[in-house]
Amino acid sequence: MKKPLHNNKFTKKQFIVLIVCIATGFIIGYSYNLTKDKAKMNNSYVDQEESYREDLIEQQERNKELAEELNDLQDQIRDYEKSIAKNEDQYEDLIEDAEKLRLQLGLIPVKGEGIKVTLKDNVYDPNSTNPNDYIVHESHVLSVINELKISGAEAISINGQRLKSNSYIKCNGPVITIDGHQFPAPFVIEAIGNAETLMASLKIVGGVFDQLLMDNIVVTMEQSDRIQMSSINNEI
């Protein structure tokens, strides 16, 4: 016995509705998942952007700190350079002072412009009561030496004997003794320094030159562009 037709049609409609419902549910589910994935992706982009922004801010702060450290180091370098320059000046001054001291002590040979002063005994006058009035004495030599030192002589020698800062000069009759070495007249005193200054200091009115003439000493003075002196280690 056959079933009624309307029952077969209802079943077919239900099947169609079921298919439609399933398709609609699938579409809705797919759309929901797609929307959820997009939301997650957007959140991920936001988080990543925030992370980049924080990293950028942190890097900018670090760059600022490094710039400040660089400025501090540059300031330290400038101070160090100034200190070096100052020390170099001090070092050069010390070298110059040491060189002057070596010259005064006679430890190194020296050459340069200067003057030569020669002191000779005068011809004895028989009418004079004292022959010593015509002889060069240590006081005459010392007066010349002291004036030369005051006038800036860098080095002084007598008859080739280089004088030291503590040299002693003693008169023994017709000869003088310089640091244990005896020398007869005439006495040739050489001095290295500014020749014009040294000469002017001796020739000042009423000065050493005039006094020597008054003491009957024969004096000759001349400037020289080249005077050489050995060190005390090579003295004659």
Side-chain angles (χ1 to χ4, degrees):
M1 183 177 179
K2 293 182 180 180
K3 293 182 179 179
L5 267 182
H6 66 274
N7 289 337
N8 291 335
K9 289 182 180 181
F10 179 77
T11 300
K12 187 175 182 179
K13 287 181 179 180
Q14 286 180 335
F15 178 74
I16 292 173
V17 170
L18 179 61
I19 294 300
V20 171
C21 289
I22 292 173
T24 302
F26 175 78
I27 293 172
I28 293 173
Y30 177 78
S31 299
Y32 173 77
N33 289 331
L34 183 61
T35 302
K36 185 178 180 181
D37 291 339
K38 287 183 177 180
K40 288 182 179 180
M41 186 177 297
N42 290 335
N43 290 335
S44 177
Y45 287 154
V46 171
D47 293 340
Q48 191 173 22
E49 184 178 357
E50 185 66 23
S51 177
Y52 288 157
R53 185 180 293 108
E54 291 177 356
D55 290 342
L56 179 60
I57 293 174
E58 183 178 353
Q59 192 62 43
Q60 289 175 341
E61 291 294 330
R62 180 56 181 163
N63 290 341
K64 183 179 179 181
E65 292 176 358
L66 291 175
E68 292 177 353
E69 291 180 5
L70 178 60
N71 291 333
D72 291 339
L73 290 175
Q74 289 176 340
D75 291 339
Q76 293 179 18
I77 291 174
R78 293 190 191 97
D79 294 339
Y80 182 66
E81 289 175 345
K82 291 179 181 178
S83 176
I84 290 178
K86 183 177 180 181
N87 289 334
E88 286 180 350
D89 293 339
Q90 293 176 347
Y91 181 67
E92 291 178 358
D93 292 340
L94 290 174
I95 291 178
E96 184 176 351
D97 292 341
E99 193 71 9
K100 290 180 179 179
L101 183 59
R102 292 189 184 98
L103 285 175
Q104 293 175 357
L105 295 175
L107 299 177
I108 57 176
V110 62
K111 61 183 178 180
E113 68 167 304
I115 66 172
K116 181 185 295 185
V117 181
T118 303
L119 305 181
K120 294 181 180 180
D121 295 337
N122 209 331
V123 179
Y124 173 63
D125 185 357
N127 296 323
S128 174
T129 57
N130 189 354
N132 288 327
D133 292 341
Y134 298 87
I135 297 176
V136 178
H137 297 285
E138 62 186 76
S139 60
H140 299 132
V141 176
L142 289 173
S143 64
V144 175
I145 298 300
N146 291 335
E147 186 63 35
L148 291 174
K149 288 182 177 179
I150 293 173
S151 302
E154 298 176 1
I156 302 173
S157 68
I158 302 176
N159 287 22
Q161 173 73 34
R162 180 81 173 270
L163 297 185
K164 301 178 289 186
S165 59
N166 60 343
S167 290
Y168 65 91
I169 300 174
K170 184 178 180 181
C171 180
N172 295 314
V175 300
I176 61 173
T177 301
I178 305 171
D179 296 335
H181 299 275
Q182 288 188 341
F183 299 94
F187 305 112
V188 180
I189 303 172
E190 292 181 306
I192 293 178
N194 186 292
E196 292 183 359
T197 300
L198 296 176
M199 186 71 77
S201 67
L202 293 177
K203 285 190 172 183
I204 191 171
V205 177
V208 173
F209 182 73
D210 290 345
Q211 187 61 48
L212 290 171
L213 294 180
M214 290 179 61
D215 290 345
N216 298 315
I217 304 302
V218 178
V219 185
T220 58
M221 296 190 296
E222 59 179 310
Q223 295 183 199
S224 175
D225 295 330
R226 186 178 180 83
I227 295 178
Q228 289 183 305
M229 297 182 193
S230 59
S231 67
I232 58 174
N233 295 325
N234 297 320
E235 60 191 14
I236 61 173

